[in-house]
């Protein structure tokens, strides 16, 4: 059955691949991105070209998760044109590279704003409609870094992704009695196929960054090389999009809470099931096991 879907951060990378894959699967997909008439005009034009060439319903919509106005307008556009919203996909995010101390508090707040607070803005715009429908799916595109092995120089990004994961886990329980389901997609560190590393931010405190360079010279080059070596030849970033298409197409009540797509196997697929089992056991002990699945 065709669903109406809104995805954030869909100008490139996981977002663009997922938007295409969901549209190919027969869904009505709104690819949210900042600056559809500005710096992402070409990405928006590509959305239109793809829709026409492949005869699918894929549309670009202005969506900046850093503002309440933009998130509200994006959701209103979808509801106004389709009369409903079935699936919300949190994909917008920004990576930064460098020693943690060299990032200013303001930078840390900005990173958290994009990766975590932005999901809250979009939720507050979209969830009233899903709650009224007593139906829906929220998909969170997380990261294996939240519980897998992690290299240094990515602390602000890892911290933000961990915050988003914790938020997603709590939302899953609080939305269940409204009939709204939650799935967390956990990609590993794909070294190619996305722009995460190429477009990553740098610390503003260059003096502190230089001090770390004395002891950690060449560290990021080493990390990048080793991550690339860990990644098997068959690794394909498009598998993340395929996993989301599968989750969306799965019968309500049978969707997985968490799905790992980590060819390099950094350990998250081992640790996450333990944490999720502890979560389930606690809910059962306190008599809230009904929150593990949508019930409305």
């Amino acid at each position: 059955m065709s669903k109406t879907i809104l995805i954030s951060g869909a100008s490139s990378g996981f977002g663009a691949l997922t938007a295409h894959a969901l549209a190919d699967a027969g869904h009505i997909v709104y690819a949210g991105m900042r600056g559809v008439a500005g710096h992402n005009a070409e990405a928006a034009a590509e959305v239109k070209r793809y829709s026409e060439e492949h005869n699918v319903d894929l549309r670009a919509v202005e969506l900046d998760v850093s503002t309440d106005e933009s998130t509200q307008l994006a959701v209103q556009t979808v509801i106004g044109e389709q009369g409903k919203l079935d699936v919300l996909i949190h994909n917008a995010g920004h990576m930064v590279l460098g020693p943690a101390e060299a990032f200013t508090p303001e930078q840390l707040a900005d990173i958290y704003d994009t990766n975590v607070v932005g999901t809250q803005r979009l939720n507050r715009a979209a969830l009233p409609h899903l709650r009224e429908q007593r139906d829906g799916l929220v998909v969170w595109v997380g990261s294996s870094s939240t519980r897998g092995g992690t290299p240094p120089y990515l602390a602000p990004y890892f911290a933000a992704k961990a915050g988003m994961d914790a938020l997603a886990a709590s939302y899953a329980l609080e939305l269940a009695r409204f009939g709204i389901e939650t799935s967390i997609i956990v990609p590993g560190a794909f070294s190619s196929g996305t722009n995460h590393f190429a477009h990553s931010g740098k610390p503003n405190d260059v003096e502190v960054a230089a001090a770390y360079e004395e002891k950690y010279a060449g560290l990021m080059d080493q990390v990048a090389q080793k991550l690339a070596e860990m990644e098997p030849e068959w690794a394909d970033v498009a598998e993340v999009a395929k996993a989301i298409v599968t989750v969306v197409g799965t019968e309500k009540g049978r969707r997985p809470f968490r799905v790992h797509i980590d060819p390099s196997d950094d350990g998250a697929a081992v640790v996450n099931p333990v944490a999720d089992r502890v979560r389930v056991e606690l809910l059962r002990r306190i008599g809230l096991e009904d929150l593990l699945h949508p019930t409305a």
Side-chain angles (χ1 to χ4, degrees):
M1 180 183 295
S2 176
K3 299 184 183 301
T4 299
I5 301 170
L6 172 61
I7 176 170
S8 66
S11 63
S12 63
F14 291 146
L17 289 169
T18 300
H20 290 171
L22 287 167
D24 289 341
H27 302 294
I28 302 169
V29 183
Y30 285 78
M33 61 187 74
R34 295 181 298 167
V36 295
H39 70 280
N40 270 326
E42 178 55 35
E46 172 57 26
V47 165
K48 184 176 181 180
R49 282 196 296 270
Y50 191 93
S51 178
E52 294 172 349
E53 291 174 5
H54 294 262
N55 193 29
V56 296
D57 199 337
L58 175 62
R59 316 176 187 199
V61 62
E62 179 68 32
L63 174 55
D64 181 352
V65 297
S66 69
T67 76
D68 288 327
E69 180 182 12
S70 183
T71 53
Q72 291 287 345
L73 285 174
V75 172
Q76 288 172 13
T77 296
V78 176
I79 298 296
E81 294 180 358
Q82 305 301 328
K84 64 172 184 173
L85 173 61
D86 300 306
V87 182
L88 178 65
I89 302 177
H90 292 300
N91 174 74
H94 183 53
M95 179 182 284
V96 295
L97 299 173
E101 185 188 348
F103 289 94
T104 65
E106 292 77 16
Q107 280 187 290
L108 205 63
D110 285 343
I111 296 161
Y112 196 85
D113 187 82
T114 299
N115 291 279
V116 185
V117 182
T119 65
Q120 179 71 353
R121 293 190 184 96
L122 191 50
N123 273 348
R124 284 175 56 81
L127 290 180
H129 301 283
L130 272 63
R131 286 191 287 105
E132 184 178 1
Q133 294 168 182
R134 294 294 190 269
D135 189 36
L137 169 65
V138 182
V139 177
W140 306 69
V141 181
S143 169
S144 64
S145 65
T146 57
R147 291 197 177 100
T150 56
Y153 276 31
L154 283 154
Y157 175 73
F158 289 164
K161 279 299 186 180
M164 192 199 77
D165 190 279
L167 195 63
S170 289
Y171 257 116
L173 306 177
E174 296 173 11
L175 295 176
R177 289 179 181 170
F178 291 100
I180 301 169
E181 202 158 20
T182 294
S183 282
I184 303 173
I185 306 300
V186 188
F190 287 92
S191 60
S192 62
T194 73
N195 295 321
H196 288 319
F197 287 95
H199 293 170
S200 60
K202 308 297 180 185
N204 284 346
D205 194 329
V206 294
E207 184 175 344
V208 170
Y212 276 84
E213 187 65 14
E214 293 179 11
K215 296 290 186 180
Y216 292 86
L219 182 140
M220 281 314 304
D221 290 338
Q222 177 185 347
V223 169
Q225 178 184 342
K226 293 300 182 181
L227 286 176
E229 291 174 0
M230 286 172 56
E231 191 172 299
E233 292 183 2
W234 49 263
D236 184 358
V237 70
E239 291 300 316
V240 176
K242 292 179 182 178
I244 294 175
V245 171
T246 298
V247 167
V248 170
T250 299
E251 180 185 354
K252 181 177 178 178
R254 304 181 70 86
R255 295 182 175 113
F257 175 64
R258 198 184 296 272
V259 180
H260 295 84
I261 310 94
D262 182 17
S264 300
D265 190 16
D266 66 13
V270 175
V271 180
N272 269 323
V274 176
D276 292 340
R277 185 173 70 247
V278 170
R279 168 180 175 269
V280 169
E281 290 173 354
L282 175 64
L283 289 168
R284 287 175 175 161
R285 288 170 60 194
I286 61 178
L288 292 176
E289 59 267 35
D290 71 292
L291 303 185
L292 294 170
H293 302 284
T295 55

PDB file of all heavy atoms in Angstrom, residues 147-180:
ATOM      1  N   ARG A 147      26.858   2.759  20.153  1.00  0.00           N
ATOM      2  CA  ARG A 147      27.262   1.667  21.036  1.00  0.00           C
ATOM      3  C   ARG A 147      28.357   0.786  20.445  1.00  0.00           C
ATOM      4  O   ARG A 147      28.757  -0.187  21.049  1.00  0.00           O
ATOM      5  CB  ARG A 147      26.047   0.797  21.422  1.00  0.00           C
ATOM      6  CG  ARG A 147      25.066   1.503  22.336  1.00  0.00           C
ATOM      7  CD  ARG A 147      24.141   0.515  23.015  1.00  0.00           C
ATOM      8  NE  ARG A 147      23.249   1.183  23.941  1.00  0.00           N
ATOM      9  CZ  ARG A 147      21.976   1.496  23.674  1.00  0.00           C
ATOM     10  NH1 ARG A 147      21.462   1.208  22.483  1.00  0.00           N
ATOM     11  NH2 ARG A 147      21.228   2.094  24.575  1.00  0.00           N
ATOM     12  N   GLY A 148      28.853   1.130  19.274  1.00  0.00           N
ATOM     13  CA  GLY A 148      29.941   0.359  18.684  1.00  0.00           C
ATOM     14  C   GLY A 148      31.287   0.935  19.089  1.00  0.00           C
ATOM     15  O   GLY A 148      31.380   1.893  19.846  1.00  0.00           O
ATOM     16  N   GLY A 149      32.352   0.335  18.573  1.00  0.00           N
ATOM     17  CA  GLY A 149      33.682   0.880  18.805  1.00  0.00           C
ATOM     18  C   GLY A 149      33.825   2.211  18.087  1.00  0.00           C
ATOM     19  O   GLY A 149      33.342   2.369  16.963  1.00  0.00           O
ATOM     20  N   THR A 150      34.451   3.180  18.730  1.00  0.00           N
ATOM     21  CA  THR A 150      34.540   4.515  18.142  1.00  0.00           C
ATOM     22  C   THR A 150      35.969   5.049  18.168  1.00  0.00           C
ATOM     23  O   THR A 150      36.659   4.956  19.178  1.00  0.00           O
ATOM     24  CB  THR A 150      33.644   5.517  18.893  1.00  0.00           C
ATOM     25  OG1 THR A 150      34.000   5.507  20.282  1.00  0.00           O
ATOM     26  CG2 THR A 150      32.177   5.147  18.748  1.00  0.00           C
ATOM     27  N   PRO A 151      36.429   5.652  17.062  1.00  0.00           N
ATOM     28  CA  PRO A 151      37.734   6.300  17.040  1.00  0.00           C
ATOM     29  C   PRO A 151      37.639   7.702  17.649  1.00  0.00           C
ATOM     30  O   PRO A 151      36.536   8.217  17.851  1.00  0.00           O
ATOM     31  CB  PRO A 151      38.048   6.390  15.540  1.00  0.00           C
ATOM     32  CG  PRO A 151      36.699   6.506  14.900  1.00  0.00           C
ATOM     33  CD  PRO A 151      35.774   5.671  15.749  1.00  0.00           C
ATOM     34  N   PRO A 152      38.764   8.329  17.946  1.00  0.00           N
ATOM     35  CA  PRO A 152      38.734   9.696  18.465  1.00  0.00           C
ATOM     36  C   PRO A 152      38.435  10.710  17.370  1.00  0.00           C
ATOM     37  O   PRO A 152      38.330  10.360  16.199  1.00  0.00           O
ATOM     38  CB  PRO A 152      40.154   9.891  19.013  1.00  0.00           C
ATOM     39  CG  PRO A 152      40.990   8.956  18.202  1.00  0.00           C
ATOM     40  CD  PRO A 152      40.115   7.765  17.906  1.00  0.00           C
ATOM     41  N   TYR A 153      38.300  11.964  17.784  1.00  0.00           N
ATOM     42  CA  TYR A 153      38.113  13.119  16.895  1.00  0.00           C
ATOM     43  C   TYR A 153      36.715  13.197  16.277  1.00  0.00           C
ATOM     44  O   TYR A 153      36.494  13.921  15.327  1.00  0.00           O
ATOM     45  CB  TYR A 153      39.175  13.134  15.793  1.00  0.00           C
ATOM     46  CG  TYR A 153      40.479  13.784  16.213  1.00  0.00           C
ATOM     47  CD1 TYR A 153      40.924  13.731  17.530  1.00  0.00           C
ATOM     48  CD2 TYR A 153      41.269  14.462  15.289  1.00  0.00           C
ATOM     49  CE1 TYR A 153      42.110  14.316  17.921  1.00  0.00           C
ATOM     50  CE2 TYR A 153      42.467  15.065  15.668  1.00  0.00           C
ATOM     51  CZ  TYR A 153      42.884  14.991  16.990  1.00  0.00           C
ATOM     52  OH  TYR A 153      44.058  15.584  17.371  1.00  0.00           O
ATOM     53  N   LEU A 154      35.779  12.448  16.810  1.00  0.00           N
ATOM     54  CA  LEU A 154      34.397  12.513  16.338  1.00  0.00           C
ATOM     55  C   LEU A 154      33.422  12.680  17.500  1.00  0.00           C
ATOM     56  O   LEU A 154      32.222  12.460  17.359  1.00  0.00           O
ATOM     57  CB  LEU A 154      34.041  11.252  15.547  1.00  0.00           C
ATOM     58  CG  LEU A 154      34.595  11.181  14.123  1.00  0.00           C
ATOM     59  CD1 LEU A 154      34.763   9.747  13.664  1.00  0.00           C
ATOM     60  CD2 LEU A 154      33.686  11.936  13.166  1.00  0.00           C
ATOM     61  N   ALA A 155      33.943  13.099  18.650  1.00  0.00           N
ATOM     62  CA  ALA A 155      33.150  13.128  19.879  1.00  0.00           C
ATOM     63  C   ALA A 155      31.863  13.942  19.786  1.00  0.00           C
ATOM     64  O   ALA A 155      30.800  13.471  20.213  1.00  0.00           O
ATOM     65  CB  ALA A 155      34.005  13.632  21.042  1.00  0.00           C
ATOM     66  N   PRO A 156      31.876  15.179  19.252  1.00  0.00           N
ATOM     67  CA  PRO A 156      30.621  15.945  19.214  1.00  0.00           C
ATOM     68  C   PRO A 156      29.537  15.252  18.386  1.00  0.00           C
ATOM     69  O   PRO A 156      28.361  15.234  18.776  1.00  0.00           O
ATOM     70  CB  PRO A 156      31.039  17.277  18.586  1.00  0.00           C
ATOM     71  CG  PRO A 156      32.493  17.401  18.906  1.00  0.00           C
ATOM     72  CD  PRO A 156      33.017  15.995  18.803  1.00  0.00           C
ATOM     73  N   TYR A 157      29.928  14.673  17.272  1.00  0.00           N
ATOM     74  CA  TYR A 157      28.968  13.964  16.416  1.00  0.00           C
ATOM     75  C   TYR A 157      28.452  12.704  17.104  1.00  0.00           C
ATOM     76  O   TYR A 157      27.242  12.435  17.124  1.00  0.00           O
ATOM     77  CB  TYR A 157      29.629  13.610  15.088  1.00  0.00           C
ATOM     78  CG  TYR A 157      28.767  12.775  14.169  1.00  0.00           C
ATOM     79  CD1 TYR A 157      27.672  13.339  13.511  1.00  0.00           C
ATOM     80  CD2 TYR A 157      29.051  11.428  13.950  1.00  0.00           C
ATOM     81  CE1 TYR A 157      26.875  12.575  12.661  1.00  0.00           C
ATOM     82  CE2 TYR A 157      28.267  10.664  13.103  1.00  0.00           C
ATOM     83  CZ  TYR A 157      27.181  11.235  12.459  1.00  0.00           C
ATOM     84  OH  TYR A 157      26.400  10.475  11.629  1.00  0.00           O
ATOM     85  N   PHE A 158      29.364  11.933  17.703  1.00  0.00           N
ATOM     86  CA  PHE A 158      28.963  10.714  18.396  1.00  0.00           C
ATOM     87  C   PHE A 158      28.014  11.027  19.558  1.00  0.00           C
ATOM     88  O   PHE A 158      27.039  10.313  19.792  1.00  0.00           O
ATOM     89  CB  PHE A 158      30.189   9.983  18.929  1.00  0.00           C
ATOM     90  CG  PHE A 158      31.030   9.336  17.869  1.00  0.00           C
ATOM     91  CD1 PHE A 158      32.328   8.933  18.150  1.00  0.00           C
ATOM     92  CD2 PHE A 158      30.536   9.112  16.590  1.00  0.00           C
ATOM     93  CE1 PHE A 158      33.115   8.326  17.172  1.00  0.00           C
ATOM     94  CE2 PHE A 158      31.306   8.512  15.609  1.00  0.00           C
ATOM     95  CZ  PHE A 158      32.610   8.112  15.907  1.00  0.00           C
ATOM     96  N   ALA A 159      28.322  12.097  20.292  1.00  0.00           N
ATOM     97  CA  ALA A 159      27.474  12.477  21.427  1.00  0.00           C
ATOM     98  C   ALA A 159      26.077  12.854  20.957  1.00  0.00           C
ATOM     99  O   ALA A 159      25.069  12.499  21.587  1.00  0.00           O
ATOM    100  CB  ALA A 159      28.108  13.635  22.190  1.00  0.00           C
ATOM    101  N   ALA A 160      26.009  13.579  19.846  1.00  0.00           N
ATOM    102  CA  ALA A 160      24.707  13.981  19.315  1.00  0.00           C
ATOM    103  C   ALA A 160      23.915  12.765  18.839  1.00  0.00           C
ATOM    104  O   ALA A 160      22.701  12.664  19.079  1.00  0.00           O
ATOM    105  CB  ALA A 160      24.891  14.982  18.173  1.00  0.00           C
ATOM    106  N   LYS A 161      24.585  11.843  18.166  1.00  0.00           N
ATOM    107  CA  LYS A 161      23.888  10.644  17.696  1.00  0.00           C
ATOM    108  C   LYS A 161      23.395   9.795  18.870  1.00  0.00           C
ATOM    109  O   LYS A 161      22.323   9.195  18.812  1.00  0.00           O
ATOM    110  CB  LYS A 161      24.805   9.821  16.785  1.00  0.00           C
ATOM    111  CG  LYS A 161      24.869  10.332  15.356  1.00  0.00           C
ATOM    112  CD  LYS A 161      23.499  10.292  14.698  1.00  0.00           C
ATOM    113  CE  LYS A 161      23.533  10.658  13.239  1.00  0.00           C
ATOM    114  NZ  LYS A 161      22.177  10.621  12.623  1.00  0.00           N
ATOM    115  N   ALA A 162      24.183   9.744  19.933  1.00  0.00           N
ATOM    116  CA  ALA A 162      23.747   9.013  21.122  1.00  0.00           C
ATOM    117  C   ALA A 162      22.522   9.672  21.738  1.00  0.00           C
ATOM    118  O   ALA A 162      21.594   8.994  22.199  1.00  0.00           O
ATOM    119  CB  ALA A 162      24.885   8.949  22.142  1.00  0.00           C
ATOM    120  N   GLY A 163      22.510  11.004  21.750  1.00  0.00           N
ATOM    121  CA  GLY A 163      21.350  11.725  22.260  1.00  0.00           C
ATOM    122  C   GLY A 163      20.112  11.457  21.438  1.00  0.00           C
ATOM    123  O   GLY A 163      19.012  11.260  21.982  1.00  0.00           O
ATOM    124  N   MET A 164      20.263  11.423  20.116  1.00  0.00           N
ATOM    125  CA  MET A 164      19.128  11.136  19.242  1.00  0.00           C
ATOM    126  C   MET A 164      18.601   9.724  19.463  1.00  0.00           C
ATOM    127  O   MET A 164      17.398   9.480  19.484  1.00  0.00           O
ATOM    128  CB  MET A 164      19.525  11.314  17.776  1.00  0.00           C
ATOM    129  CG  MET A 164      18.335  11.326  16.836  1.00  0.00           C
ATOM    130  SD  MET A 164      18.761  10.982  15.120  1.00  0.00           S
ATOM    131  CE  MET A 164      18.973   9.208  15.193  1.00  0.00           C
ATOM    132  N   ASP A 165      19.516   8.768  19.646  1.00  0.00           N
ATOM    133  CA  ASP A 165      19.111   7.388  19.871  1.00  0.00           C
ATOM    134  C   ASP A 165      18.303   7.262  21.160  1.00  0.00           C
ATOM    135  O   ASP A 165      17.277   6.569  21.203  1.00  0.00           O
ATOM    136  CB  ASP A 165      20.350   6.490  19.936  1.00  0.00           C
ATOM    137  CG  ASP A 165      20.009   5.015  19.930  1.00  0.00           C
ATOM    138  OD1 ASP A 165      19.652   4.490  20.997  1.00  0.00           O
ATOM    139  OD2 ASP A 165      20.104   4.378  18.860  1.00  0.00           O
ATOM    140  N   ALA A 166      18.755   7.938  22.220  1.00  0.00           N
ATOM    141  CA  ALA A 166      18.034   7.898  23.496  1.00  0.00           C
ATOM    142  C   ALA A 166      16.657   8.530  23.356  1.00  0.00           C
ATOM    143  O   ALA A 166      15.660   8.036  23.913  1.00  0.00           O
ATOM    144  CB  ALA A 166      18.839   8.623  24.572  1.00  0.00           C
ATOM    145  N   LEU A 167      16.582   9.614  22.606  1.00  0.00           N
ATOM    146  CA  LEU A 167      15.300  10.278  22.377  1.00  0.00           C
ATOM    147  C   LEU A 167      14.353   9.362  21.611  1.00  0.00           C
ATOM    148  O   LEU A 167      13.169   9.238  21.945  1.00  0.00           O
ATOM    149  CB  LEU A 167      15.532  11.585  21.602  1.00  0.00           C
ATOM    150  CG  LEU A 167      14.399  12.598  21.547  1.00  0.00           C
ATOM    151  CD1 LEU A 167      14.063  13.123  22.933  1.00  0.00           C
ATOM    152  CD2 LEU A 167      14.781  13.760  20.615  1.00  0.00           C
ATOM    153  N   ALA A 168      14.886   8.691  20.593  1.00  0.00           N
ATOM    154  CA  ALA A 168      14.070   7.782  19.785  1.00  0.00           C
ATOM    155  C   ALA A 168      13.506   6.646  20.634  1.00  0.00           C
ATOM    156  O   ALA A 168      12.330   6.265  20.484  1.00  0.00           O
ATOM    157  CB  ALA A 168      14.910   7.207  18.649  1.00  0.00           C
ATOM    158  N   ALA A 169      14.323   6.098  21.524  1.00  0.00           N
ATOM    159  CA  ALA A 169      13.879   4.981  22.358  1.00  0.00           C
ATOM    160  C   ALA A 169      12.742   5.398  23.287  1.00  0.00           C
ATOM    161  O   ALA A 169      11.788   4.632  23.509  1.00  0.00           O
ATOM    162  CB  ALA A 169      15.060   4.438  23.167  1.00  0.00           C
ATOM    163  N   SER A 170      12.822   6.599  23.824  1.00  0.00           N
ATOM    164  CA  SER A 170      11.749   7.072  24.698  1.00  0.00           C
ATOM    165  C   SER A 170      10.492   7.406  23.904  1.00  0.00           C
ATOM    166  O   SER A 170       9.380   7.070  24.314  1.00  0.00           O
ATOM    167  CB  SER A 170      12.218   8.312  25.472  1.00  0.00           C
ATOM    168  OG  SER A 170      13.169   7.966  26.451  1.00  0.00           O
ATOM    169  N   TYR A 171      10.668   8.041  22.763  1.00  0.00           N
ATOM    170  CA  TYR A 171       9.516   8.359  21.918  1.00  0.00           C
ATOM    171  C   TYR A 171       8.763   7.093  21.522  1.00  0.00           C
ATOM    172  O   TYR A 171       7.521   7.089  21.444  1.00  0.00           O
ATOM    173  CB  TYR A 171       9.967   9.101  20.658  1.00  0.00           C
ATOM    174  CG  TYR A 171       9.705  10.586  20.678  1.00  0.00           C
ATOM    175  CD1 TYR A 171      10.753  11.490  20.647  1.00  0.00           C
ATOM    176  CD2 TYR A 171       8.409  11.094  20.738  1.00  0.00           C
ATOM    177  CE1 TYR A 171      10.522  12.860  20.661  1.00  0.00           C
ATOM    178  CE2 TYR A 171       8.161  12.456  20.740  1.00  0.00           C
ATOM    179  CZ  TYR A 171       9.225  13.337  20.714  1.00  0.00           C
ATOM    180  OH  TYR A 171       8.982  14.692  20.729  1.00  0.00           O
ATOM    181  N   ALA A 172       9.491   6.023  21.263  1.00  0.00           N
ATOM    182  CA  ALA A 172       8.843   4.775  20.855  1.00  0.00           C
ATOM    183  C   ALA A 172       7.800   4.349  21.873  1.00  0.00           C
ATOM    184  O   ALA A 172       6.681   3.919  21.507  1.00  0.00           O
ATOM    185  CB  ALA A 172       9.888   3.677  20.679  1.00  0.00           C
ATOM    186  N   LEU A 173       8.118   4.476  23.140  1.00  0.00           N
ATOM    187  CA  LEU A 173       7.199   4.071  24.209  1.00  0.00           C
ATOM    188  C   LEU A 173       6.039   5.048  24.354  1.00  0.00           C
ATOM    189  O   LEU A 173       4.894   4.643  24.601  1.00  0.00           O
ATOM    190  CB  LEU A 173       7.954   3.983  25.535  1.00  0.00           C
ATOM    191  CG  LEU A 173       9.201   3.085  25.548  1.00  0.00           C
ATOM    192  CD1 LEU A 173       9.893   3.150  26.905  1.00  0.00           C
ATOM    193  CD2 LEU A 173       8.833   1.650  25.194  1.00  0.00           C
ATOM    194  N   GLU A 174       6.315   6.325  24.194  1.00  0.00           N
ATOM    195  CA  GLU A 174       5.293   7.342  24.417  1.00  0.00           C
ATOM    196  C   GLU A 174       4.312   7.462  23.253  1.00  0.00           C
ATOM    197  O   GLU A 174       3.226   8.037  23.408  1.00  0.00           O
ATOM    198  CB  GLU A 174       5.969   8.681  24.696  1.00  0.00           C
ATOM    199  CG  GLU A 174       6.782   8.654  25.993  1.00  0.00           C
ATOM    200  CD  GLU A 174       7.595   9.922  26.214  1.00  0.00           C
ATOM    201  OE1 GLU A 174       7.377  10.907  25.482  1.00  0.00           O
ATOM    202  OE2 GLU A 174       8.447   9.921  27.124  1.00  0.00           O
ATOM    203  N   LEU A 175       4.693   6.917  22.094  1.00  0.00           N
ATOM    204  CA  LEU A 175       3.811   6.977  20.927  1.00  0.00           C
ATOM    205  C   LEU A 175       3.025   5.686  20.703  1.00  0.00           C
ATOM    206  O   LEU A 175       2.076   5.666  19.931  1.00  0.00           O
ATOM    207  CB  LEU A 175       4.638   7.285  19.669  1.00  0.00           C
ATOM    208  CG  LEU A 175       5.323   8.655  19.622  1.00  0.00           C
ATOM    209  CD1 LEU A 175       6.189   8.769  18.366  1.00  0.00           C
ATOM    210  CD2 LEU A 175       4.285   9.777  19.655  1.00  0.00           C
ATOM    211  N   ALA A 176       3.419   4.621  21.381  1.00  0.00           N
ATOM    212  CA  ALA A 176       2.834   3.304  21.112  1.00  0.00           C
ATOM    213  C   ALA A 176       1.322   3.273  21.299  1.00  0.00           C
ATOM    214  O   ALA A 176       0.598   2.668  20.497  1.00  0.00           O
ATOM    215  CB  ALA A 176       3.495   2.250  22.002  1.00  0.00           C
ATOM    216  N   ARG A 177       0.808   3.919  22.359  1.00  0.00           N
ATOM    217  CA  ARG A 177      -0.631   3.880  22.615  1.00  0.00           C
ATOM    218  C   ARG A 177      -1.431   4.764  21.668  1.00  0.00           C
ATOM    219  O   ARG A 177      -2.660   4.736  21.693  1.00  0.00           O
ATOM    220  CB  ARG A 177      -0.912   4.254  24.076  1.00  0.00           C
ATOM    221  CG  ARG A 177      -0.466   3.161  25.053  1.00  0.00           C
ATOM    222  CD  ARG A 177      -0.719   3.530  26.494  1.00  0.00           C
ATOM    223  NE  ARG A 177      -0.257   2.472  27.393  1.00  0.00           N
ATOM    224  CZ  ARG A 177      -0.171   2.594  28.721  1.00  0.00           C
ATOM    225  NH1 ARG A 177      -0.516   3.735  29.304  1.00  0.00           N
ATOM    226  NH2 ARG A 177       0.271   1.594  29.458  1.00  0.00           N
ATOM    227  N   PHE A 178      -0.726   5.531  20.832  1.00  0.00           N
ATOM    228  CA  PHE A 178      -1.396   6.278  19.760  1.00  0.00           C
ATOM    229  C   PHE A 178      -1.366   5.496  18.451  1.00  0.00           C
ATOM    230  O   PHE A 178      -1.784   6.006  17.408  1.00  0.00           O
ATOM    231  CB  PHE A 178      -0.725   7.643  19.553  1.00  0.00           C
ATOM    232  CG  PHE A 178      -0.930   8.611  20.682  1.00  0.00           C
ATOM    233  CD1 PHE A 178       0.045   8.813  21.636  1.00  0.00           C
ATOM    234  CD2 PHE A 178      -2.117   9.334  20.785  1.00  0.00           C
ATOM    235  CE1 PHE A 178      -0.143   9.711  22.681  1.00  0.00           C
ATOM    236  CE2 PHE A 178      -2.318  10.232  21.821  1.00  0.00           C
ATOM    237  CZ  PHE A 178      -1.331  10.418  22.775  1.00  0.00           C
ATOM    238  N   GLY A 179      -0.838   4.264  18.502  1.00  0.00           N
ATOM    239  CA  GLY A 179      -0.771   3.447  17.299  1.00  0.00           C
ATOM    240  C   GLY A 179       0.389   3.805  16.386  1.00  0.00           C
ATOM    241  O   GLY A 179       0.420   3.390  15.226  1.00  0.00           O
ATOM    242  N   ILE A 180       1.344   4.548  16.907  1.00  0.00           N
ATOM    243  CA  ILE A 180       2.485   4.997  16.107  1.00  0.00           C
ATOM    244  C   ILE A 180       3.698   4.119  16.415  1.00  0.00           C
ATOM    245  O   ILE A 180       4.066   3.947  17.576  1.00  0.00           O
ATOM    246  CB  ILE A 180       2.814   6.475  16.392  1.00  0.00           C
ATOM    247  CG1 ILE A 180       1.595   7.352  16.080  1.00  0.00           C
ATOM    248  CG2 ILE A 180       4.026   6.927  15.581  1.00  0.00           C
ATOM    249  CD1 ILE A 180       1.719   8.783  16.569  1.00  0.00           C
TER     250      ILE A 180
END
